[in-house]
Amino acid sequence: MANNIPNRQAMCEALIELAQEDRDIMVLASDSRGSAAMAPFVKQFPEQFVETGIAEQNIVGIAAGLAHSGKKPFVTSPACFLSMRSIEQVKVDVAYSATNVKLVGISGGVSYGALGMSHHSLQDIAVTRAIPGLTIILPADRHETRKMTQALAKHEGGTYVRIGRNPVEDVYESDDYDFQIGKAVVMKQGSDVTLIGTGETVRIALDAAKLLEEAGIGARVLNMHTIKPLDEEAIIAAARETKAIVTLEEHSIFGGLGAAVAEVISTNHPVPLRILGIPDEPAIAGKTAEIFAHYGLTAANVLQLATELVKAKAEQK
Amino acid sequence: MSTVTELKLKSLQIRADLLRLIHSAKMGHTGGSLSNTDILTTLYYEIMKHDPSRPKWAERDRFIASKGHSVESLWCILADLGYFPKEELATYCQFGTRLIGHPNNKVPGIEMNTGALGHGLAISVGMALAAKKDSKAYRVFCLMGDGEQAEGSVWEAAMAGAHYKLDHLIGFVDRNRLQISGNTEDVMGIDPLDRKWEAFGWHVKQVNGHDFDELLETLRAVPEQTGKPTLIILNTTKGKGVSFAENQPEWHHHVPNDEQLRLAIGELEAASAAIAEAEEERGMNG
């Protein structure tokens, strides 16, 4: 469904609703209240907002101190800087000290496509995934962003969230569905192949599944909104029942969703797997859609890959 | 006995304890732990509002050891105060222990895990900010090293502390002038440290970090200026109290052998005896 509300705006709206009930909810920004779409929150709850200026190490440390004192800080800062510049603070002050800090990487992936590698965050999943105890979530659309924000307000523990800059087409019709941290959502049933997406690539998986259906192939689509803790059960079931998997992510092919899925199936139920993401190179500059097309993150390419996998599977029999 | 005399004796006892701790574990940061023993003793036995039977008491003053490697004095003080059983000190740096070589918040009395330098002040800013927002009266004390001043994140937090006018935030720099590779001014010059902090909007004080009269007078008066965080430069001696370790860079993490331990404990005991004697004399004369 067409939509013009970016996920960051959906998050701000959800936080405003939550902050009315819970005065401990705080938003922090690193000169990024505008890009995080948090200006309405700042206007309504100036006392629950902290500006740190352009200082990503500081923003995480301050958030940890606030959380230690019972606050529920949501740090909103560009994903590329928040996930890398301050990663030691994330490791020590958030994960190791077990403080309840929500790190929200905004304009993640290639949202800042034309600005180049310094502004792309294509390593954030790999980096945060290696830190013990951190929860990692990439919501797929505005409805999921809202559900996730509500869930995070109740969830105790350090979390890294990544959301994109631009509006994304809805994958849910409304927020009337079951969202649980750590539990994948089966968006479509199918038994020939499984497509696993996360964040904004779930839309591509759904579009590809539609094309596959027209070609007579039944694709299961999983929305793996939580990368950690990973829903291993859903992945193993997909491997067992569909015997072929394609993963899609707006991330380096190293250490992201595909790698995480590979770890699970290789030790539990090995099946052919194709990992679609950004290869090991500074990503090309351009609009998100152009970059996705360049690297084959398109429904048409997934259709081709999945068809090949299904064909190879039939020949093996 | 005066407070100052009590603190002097206590810090000599803590020094002996931490030397035994490092000697038995065969590891530790001897020099820095000896240089910050006096400020920690002053804070924990006289200045800070805290209660070992209620480590999470909401109104307590907070202490963050940003220079987390000098943790041995802290372990000995927390054990002495009853935050955890004294016998547990024997597990220091042993396999699976809670009492590791850096502050660990699984131990009662430790607020946050530190050890990576340049983190503590930002955390302290967050704590002080929360206190301000909740109109709580607790103070936040943050101890940094002088070598640590080279970390850029210290200055990010310094800026924020002044920006938010956190007058119940008190930072310390343990200015013993030595870091692992030698003199701080040779490794990476940080002087003029007072002017740097003043320029960042802090109220700056310089004290002899081993003079309890001065420490008490200064700490009882903070904050002297409203709307400004305070930075106290503690002019200290690395390895303080052990003649052969004083001002020796290699004692940053040198471990005393049996003979050195015996000599060091002897010096500390002699210092205690001298204080007791002077006290007795004073009593007789008074």
Side-chain angles (χ1 to χ4, degrees):
Chain A
M1 201 188 295
N3 159 50
N4 56 11
I5 297 172
N7 291 348
R8 53 201 170 110
Q9 186 184 331
M11 174 174 261
C12 179
E13 286 164 6
L15 283 171
I16 286 173
E17 284 170 28
L18 290 160
Q20 263 148 4
E21 304 289 313
D22 188 345
R23 307 306 295 208
D24 283 331
I25 286 182
M26 299 198 70
V27 169
L28 289 81
S30 55
D31 195 24
S32 49
R33 72 184 83 174
S35 46
M38 287 296 154
F41 184 98
V42 181
K43 201 171 170 200
Q44 208 162 329
F45 301 101
E47 284 305 308
Q48 283 164 263
F49 174 74
V50 176
E51 174 64 73
T52 67
I54 306 163
E56 291 81 14
Q57 297 182 76
N58 201 32
I59 201 171
V60 176
I62 289 178
L66 287 166
H68 178 277
S69 311
K71 301 292 177 192
K72 296 171 186 167
F74 283 71
V75 174
T76 59
S77 177
C80 50
F81 311 126
L82 184 61
S83 66
M84 307 288 274
R85 190 83 175 242
S86 54
I87 198 65
E88 194 186 84
Q89 276 77 4
V90 175
K91 177 182 116 179
V92 180
D93 308 351
V94 178
Y96 184 28
S97 284
T99 51
N100 185 24
V101 175
K102 313 304 177 201
L103 303 152
V104 184
I106 49 172
S107 300
V110 292
S111 293
Y112 288 132
L115 302 185
M117 183 166 169
S118 64
H119 281 61
H120 297 166
S121 72
L122 295 171
Q123 297 77 27
D124 50 351
I125 298 175
V127 166
T128 51
R129 203 160 76 83
I131 296 176
L134 218 55
T135 296
I136 304 168
I137 306 178
L138 281 72
D141 70 0
R142 59 182 166 142
H143 299 302
E144 191 151 88
T145 301
R146 180 182 172 79
K147 301 281 279 191
M148 174 202 68
T149 309
Q150 290 164 344
L152 284 181
K154 292 195 196 104
H155 174 257
E156 182 77 24
T159 306
Y160 176 73
V161 170
R162 187 225 272 183
I163 53 181
R165 181 168 180 78
N166 302 313
V168 281
E169 213 182 311
D170 290 344
V171 300
Y172 295 103
E173 285 177 10
S174 71
D175 61 3
D176 184 21
Y177 75 100
D178 186 28
F179 176 90
Q180 280 179 52
I181 294 171
K183 191 122 181 61
V185 180
V186 181
M187 306 295 289
K188 182 182 169 303
Q189 283 294 358
S191 54
D192 296 325
V193 62
T194 298
L195 312 177
I196 308 179
T198 188
E200 300 181 12
T201 61
V202 174
R203 183 66 252 170
I204 305 168
L206 283 171
D207 292 346
K210 208 170 166 201
L211 297 179
L212 283 161
E213 197 166 22
E214 287 162 12
I217 294 170
R220 178 179 305 183
V221 177
L222 292 185
N223 171 6
M224 198 61 69
H225 51 68
T226 307
I227 304 286
K228 195 178 182 182
L230 191 63
D231 189 346
E232 299 193 359
E233 215 174 284
I235 294 167
I236 296 166
R240 188 176 292 129
E241 290 157 22
T242 70
K243 299 180 180 61
I245 296 176
V246 179
T247 62
L248 299 84
E249 64 196 299
E250 188 179 354
H251 187 270
S252 163
I253 53 170
F254 293 146
L257 169 70
V261 169
E263 286 162 15
V264 173
I265 62 173
S266 65
T267 50
N268 290 284
H269 195 93
V271 295
L273 168 71
R274 296 288 177 272
I275 295 173
L276 256 180
I278 311 297
D280 191 31
E281 64 181 40
I284 197 164
K287 291 194 178 72
T288 300
E290 291 168 337
I291 298 172
F292 276 27
H294 179 79
Y295 293 117
L297 279 162
T298 60
N301 188 45
V302 175
L303 166 70
Q304 194 189 327
L305 272 181
T307 307
E308 282 166 17
L309 275 181
V310 171
K311 212 172 135 196
K313 200 167 66 170
E315 280 166 6
Q316 263 190 348
K317 275 183 187 166
Chain B
M1 214 185 287
S2 76
T3 303
V4 168
T5 306
E6 282 174 9
L7 289 176
K8 277 183 187 168
L9 291 171
K10 182 55 79 179
S11 75
L12 287 166
Q13 177 211 320
I14 297 299
R15 282 190 165 85
D17 289 350
L18 77 87
L19 287 168
R20 289 192 189 99
L21 196 68
I22 291 170
H23 173 261
S24 76
K26 296 192 170 46
M27 67 180 292
H29 287 89
T30 310
S33 221
L34 288 169
S35 80
N36 70 30
T37 299
D38 294 333
I39 183 63
L40 291 186
T41 304
T42 309
L43 287 173
Y44 275 91
Y45 292 89
E46 196 57 34
I47 296 294
M48 282 191 342
K49 199 167 53 170
H50 69 122
D51 180 353
S53 68
R54 290 180 294 164
K56 304 269 183 198
W57 178 37
E59 309 301 321
R60 73 191 181 283
D61 287 335
R62 273 70 161 163
F63 175 74
I64 298 292
S66 193
K67 55 168 288 197
H69 51 284
S70 307
V71 75
E72 295 83 2
S73 37
L74 193 51
W75 287 148
C76 292
I77 287 171
L78 293 179
D80 185 61
L81 287 167
Y83 275 97
F84 57 85
K86 264 192 166 169
E87 301 75 62
E88 198 177 338
L89 285 175
T91 71
Y92 163 70
C93 282
Q94 302 304 303
F95 179 73
T97 186
R98 296 192 297 180
L99 304 184
I100 57 175
H102 289 102
N104 170 13
N105 67 355
K106 293 191 178 60
V107 181
I110 300 289
E111 305 285 354
M112 290 283 284
N113 295 338
T114 48
L117 294 173
H119 289 224
L121 193 62
I123 292 166
S124 305
V125 166
M127 290 175 172
L129 202 50
K132 196 169 175 180
K133 290 196 178 289
D134 291 342
S135 306
K136 298 262 190 193
Y138 66 79
R139 293 172 296 177
V140 185
F141 297 96
C142 177
L143 177 64
M144 295 172 280
D146 51 4
E148 183 178 3
Q149 303 298 296
E151 288 280 8
S153 50
V154 167
W155 302 99
E156 293 184 6
M159 243 187 261
H163 180 83
Y164 285 106
K165 303 182 173 23
L166 302 175
D167 46 24
H168 47 306
L169 171 63
I170 298 105
F172 299 100
V173 177
D174 185 8
R175 187 78 176 109
N176 58 39
R177 298 194 166 264
L178 287 176
Q179 58 191 108
I180 197 163
S181 303
N183 191 298
T184 53
E185 297 314 292
D186 294 332
V187 177
M188 179 49 64
I190 59 170
D191 274 334
L193 196 56
D194 52 347
R195 281 167 48 202
K196 285 196 173 86
W197 281 93
E198 269 161 15
F200 273 77
W202 288 55
H203 175 58
V204 179
K205 302 281 285 185
Q206 295 241 27
V207 299
N208 175 342
H210 302 306
D211 182 325
F212 290 104
D213 286 304
E214 236 185 283
L215 285 171
L216 286 176
E217 193 191 340
T218 307
L219 284 166
R220 282 177 179 150
V222 289
E224 284 182 340
Q225 290 191 14
T226 50
K228 268 187 177 187
T230 300
L231 190 278
I232 301 173
I233 297 173
L234 305 162
N235 290 305
T236 57
T237 302
K238 201 150 179 171
K240 176 71 180 176
V242 177
S243 60
F244 51 87
E246 285 189 3
N247 287 318
Q248 301 302 315
E250 63 273 18
W251 275 92
H252 179 84
H253 52 17
H254 204 83
V255 174
N257 60 28
D258 295 353
E259 177 59 11
Q260 286 166 330
L261 180 70
R262 198 183 60 76
L263 282 171
I265 300 288
E267 288 182 13
L268 295 168
E269 282 175 354
S272 292
I275 292 168
E277 205 178 310
E279 188 72 8
E280 204 174 311
E281 224 167 83
R282 206 168 58 90
M284 284 187 335
N285 295 342

